[in-house]
Amino acid sequence: NAGVTQTPKFQVLKTGQSMTLQCAQDMNHEYMSWYRQDPGMGLRLIHYSVGAGITDQGEVPNGYNVSRSTTEDFPLRLLSAAPSQTSVYFCASSKQQNQPQHFGDGTRLSIL
Amino acid sequence: SQKIEQNSEALNIQEGKTATLTCNYTNYSPAYLQWYRQDPGRGPVFLLLIRENEKEKRKERLKVTFDTTLKQSLFHITASQPADSATYLCAPAASGGSYIPTFGRGTSLIVHP
């Protein structure tokens, strides 16, 4: 039982490049979410999904896309990376959105 | 707008003492509030959840209170140990709409041997 797995753990991109951050959970959780964590800012919600085929925007969705084709996977896509997107990204899942979340260990992303 | 306040300064205490961390919120009424622990380089780990109709919740050495009148939650660690050193995040969730929690910035706790 791996919990929430995020890949890659570290990534450096150049401005304008695109990439996908992967997130997978093996707990059959319906609710999944993506956060970014910046110094002094706390965790901010980017996008979330209440089940396969359903996604919605969080607090800071601009510049990011998500899809949820399966219960297990919830990838986050950066369309055209910008230095302002340098951050640590966390994926989380829970049985339902009003229940405690399980977090992955994050992807540390630097945009040059 | 909704606002969550946690002490930005680190809390330093001696081993064996009780640590008390504060979470204040404004401009909304949470249906429940969660506390998480985060270690450097790791994702947050869930500790406790308390609902708006509960005054207090306990789990081993941990205790959480929830005062909806003061708009405040207190998180206590009794008989603290150096291994309790971490950042603690509070995350209230509003009853209206999606019940999605909003995270505070966290308070760093340092327990000295």
Side-chain angles (χ1 to χ4, degrees), chain A residues 53-76:
Chain A
I54 306 170
T55 63
D56 208 342
Q57 297 181 349
E59 179 186 357
V60 288
N62 292 341
Y64 307 94
N65 272 358
V66 291
S67 60
R68 185 93 181 272
S69 56
T70 67
T71 299
E72 295 77 21
D73 299 298
F74 191 42
L76 177 73

Side-chain angles (χ1 to χ4, degrees), chain B residues 2 25 28 31 36 41 44 46-49 53 68 75 77 108:
Chain B
Q2 299 175 355
Y25 55 91
Y28 69 128
Y36 288 79
F46 169 74
L47 297 174
L48 281 170
L49 181 152
N53 60 348
T68 55
F75 178 80
I77 305 175
S108 176

Side-chain angles (χ1 to χ4, degrees), chain B residues 37-49:
Chain B
R37 168 184 173 141
Q38 187 173 22
D39 292 286
R42 306 297 300 273
V45 175
F46 169 74
L47 297 174
L48 281 170
L49 181 152

Side-chain angles (χ1 to χ4, degrees), chain A residues 28-101:
Chain A
N28 201 31
H29 285 170
E30 290 296 323
Y31 181 74
M32 296 186 73
S33 55
W34 276 102
Y35 293 87
R36 59 178 290 173
Q37 188 173 40
D38 302 292
M41 297 292 292
L43 288 162
R44 291 185 291 169
L45 183 65
I46 305 172
H47 285 284
Y48 65 95
S49 168
V50 297
I54 306 170
T55 63
D56 208 342
Q57 297 181 349
E59 179 186 357
V60 288
N62 292 341
Y64 307 94
N65 272 358
V66 291
S67 60
R68 185 93 181 272
S69 56
T70 67
T71 299
E72 295 77 21
D73 299 298
F74 191 42
L76 177 73
R77 297 182 187 84
L78 278 70
L79 308 173
S80 178
S84 62
Q85 294 178 304
T86 292
S87 188
V88 181
Y89 291 85
F90 289 100
C91 178
S93 75
S94 59
K95 289 183 180 179
Q96 296 177 8
Q97 62 203 68
N98 61 348
Q99 295 190 351
Q101 297 187 70

